Amino acid sequence: MKITITKDLDKTQEVLFLGLFEEDKDNGKSFNKELAEEVEEATGRKAFSRKFGEMYATKLSSHAYKKVAVLGLGEKKDLNVEKIRQALGKMVTSTKCWSLSSFTTNIVEKVRGCADGEVLGRAAAEGLLLANYNFTKYLAKEKQEKKKPLQVAALQWSGGNDLSEGLKVGRVVAEATNMVRDLVNEPANVVNSEYMEKMAKQVASQYSSVKLKVLNKAELEKEGMGSLLGVNAGSQNPPKLLVLEYTGSKKGKYTAFLGKGITFDSGGYNLKPTKYIEDMKTDMAGAAAVMAAVKVAAELKLKKNLLGVMPLCENMVDATAQHPGDIVRAYNGKTIEIGNTDAEGRLVLCDALAYTEAKYNPEVMIDLATLTGACVVALGYYAAGVMGKDDALLHALHEAGNNSGDRVWQLPFFEEYQDWMDGSISDLNNISQKGKGYEAGSITAGVFLSKFVEKAKWAHVDIAGSAYWAVDGPYLSKGATGSGVRLLSYYLLENQEKE
Ligand code: BES
Ligand code: ZN
Ligand code: ZN
């Protein structure tokens, strides 16, 4: 989609969306008297209110546009950048719904001054491009036609260049997010560890600042990543650990992003039942988000030295698969009893964490994982769970989440939980050994991971609920959301090295 900036509304586009705040009593009269009368009439019969998100498509025909619609923006004082994403997203979905392909709007101009032009621009591009996403490649041509993306959004703006700067950044972030949505929506018979490697190679070949290191099965065995290898034991696809390394600063230790990359999670011998197994192609969403975050950093030349670490496996059932009760030895020498083969995410991430810390000595490690069903139960879709012991890092992630709309919600990491994963005949068990085993399931998973981090500042982000939605949102449609990309991108944007 082309996003253009125009001083006045762009009459060459098909649809016009006029934003109306609660306090805009003239109902758009300054634009057109006929429109104002119709809006007033619609308000009278309760077909339209200026509450945020309410839309009314007018009957106005004798006009330059094929359609003119008004969009309620609520009270001006309640406006924020997330609402800009939502409002523009709504315009995109409505335009698509009318089978039209371009629009112009005054809303960005209307909210000028509510936030920095750059911040508005980022949010605008994100709302537009995220809402314009469709995963249609497996549909018949006629059905694809009906979901055709928009061609142009023309934004009225009379402020400075900062809006267009923001639009550029927002586009990079949104396109990386959509790349993740493609990777996660693609089924597991397409996206396996080799496919992920191919994608990572593409990122590395696109930027001279990015290098890719690939550890294949033989190297993983040599390094002693018994925990990761155990998970892949029942799979026909090879296990891999990918490390994308981005150099963006002359100083500063590494920040490492690590992402769970289970290309399909059947549960293993603790097989998942119907209704739980079908969406498990999405279990590599963390790894995909990490890959995309490295791409964003390289594209925007962010001042940071970054690692994107992706342990890739497939959790399958086979004669060679690991048994419940097996004991494996992780990279750091710790022994783990497999209390449940379905708690596999922590088993691949723990090796990745310990390996990354030992080889690269990063200052910060942030892992992203579709780790627990308990997190979906606790938080639903609209925030990822975050936990750890470093308050400053948790705070930075909370800020990045709020600013990007890709939110996190902190779960407690109380001292009382810290021995719940201790094993009885091994150092650790991969499921909680206290109570019924499922209490505080997201937290105990985090506790397990924490045992594989020694000195780095570390936070764990559970994206099990936020990565894949069963319902449409204002600018993200159901299916893969690319959760984590905006979070990590904003975290990087807001925490660059000062050179
Ligand atoms: N990949 C799942 C978690 C998940 C559930 C992600 C729903 C997305 C949506 C994970 O590997 C898993 O199966 N976790 C178990 C852990 C349990 C056995 C301790 C779970 O949550 O049930
Ligand atoms: Zn699992
Ligand atoms: Zn899993």
Side-chain angles (χ1 to χ4, degrees), residues 327-355:
I327 297 179
V328 294
R329 189 177 292 277
Y331 177 83
N332 66 352
K334 287 192 177 165
T335 53
I336 306 164
E337 184 178 357
I338 310 299
N340 190 317
T341 59
D342 197 12
E344 84 300 335
R346 61 199 77 182
L347 294 172
V348 302
L349 275 172
C350 72
D351 270 347
L353 284 164
Y355 173 82

Side-chain angles (χ1 to χ4, degrees), residues 182-196:
D182 273 344
L183 277 171
V184 175
N185 282 328
E186 281 283 0
N189 58 339
V190 175
V191 173
N192 52 28
S193 56
E194 276 159 350
Y195 190 97
M196 291 294 281

Side-chain angles (χ1 to χ4, degrees), residues 32-235:
N32 178 305
K33 191 158 155 273
E34 208 183 319
L35 171 103
E37 281 163 12
E38 194 187 337
V39 170
E40 207 167 297
E41 183 269 330
T43 309
R45 63 182 161 87
K46 300 208 162 23
F48 176 65
S49 93
R50 280 163 283 156
K51 282 208 187 72
F52 181 81
E54 289 236 355
M55 182 174 289
Y56 175 75
T58 70
K59 298 191 267 307
L60 222 62
S61 59
S62 58
H63 217 274
Y65 306 102
K66 290 191 177 155
K67 229 178 192 63
V68 177
V70 285
L71 182 73
L73 295 177
E75 285 186 44
K76 193 161 184 176
K77 69 168 173 45
D78 296 334
L79 201 82
N80 55 40
V81 283
E82 176 63 6
K83 285 188 172 165
I84 308 291
R85 285 186 198 97
Q86 296 183 355
L88 286 164
K90 181 131 189 169
M91 294 177 197
V92 172
T93 40
S94 303
T95 306
K96 275 200 274 197
C97 195
W98 298 325
S99 297
L100 296 171
S101 68
S102 70
F103 72 82
T104 187
T105 182
N106 68 338
I107 81 142
V108 183
E109 173 66 13
K110 263 186 101 67
V111 301
R112 189 158 58 84
C114 292
D116 246 35
E118 154 112 41
V119 171
L120 285 178
R122 272 190 213 171
E126 289 162 3
L128 291 167
L129 296 166
L130 294 176
N132 208 23
Y133 174 85
N134 271 318
F135 187 71
T136 57
K137 66 186 276 197
Y138 296 106
L139 289 174
K141 276 270 173 308
E142 315 82 72
K143 287 199 174 155
Q144 283 186 7
E145 280 297 306
K146 289 208 181 94
K147 296 188 169 191
K148 262 215 325 249
L150 295 206
Q151 300 301 314
V152 185
L155 309 177
Q156 189 188 9
W157 178 255
S158 63
N161 278 338
D162 44 355
L163 185 79
S164 93
E165 287 308 308
L167 286 172
K168 275 187 217 150
V169 175
R171 175 179 287 278
V172 171
V173 174
E175 282 174 352
T177 308
N178 287 343
M179 172 185 106
V180 171
R181 293 165 87 183
D182 273 344
L183 277 171
V184 175
N185 282 328
E186 281 283 0
N189 58 339
V190 175
V191 173
N192 52 28
S193 56
E194 276 159 350
Y195 190 97
M196 291 294 281
E197 179 184 359
K198 223 169 51 201
M199 293 298 292
K201 270 196 180 131
Q202 265 181 32
V203 175
S205 66
Q206 224 179 327
Y207 306 98
S208 59
S209 54
V210 178
K211 284 200 207 42
L212 173 67
K213 178 160 139 187
V214 182
L215 276 73
N216 285 309
K217 192 171 179 198
E219 288 106 281
L220 296 171
E221 281 168 348
K222 203 167 109 223
E223 291 288 353
M225 296 201 214
S227 182
L228 183 156
L229 287 162
V231 172
N232 206 68
S235 172

Side-chain angles (χ1 to χ4, degrees), residues 260 265 267 272 280 283 315 341-345 371:
K260 170 175 172 181
D265 180 12
K272 284 184 184 292
M280 283 301 133
D283 218 16
N315 190 21
T341 59
D342 197 12
E344 84 300 335
L371 206 62

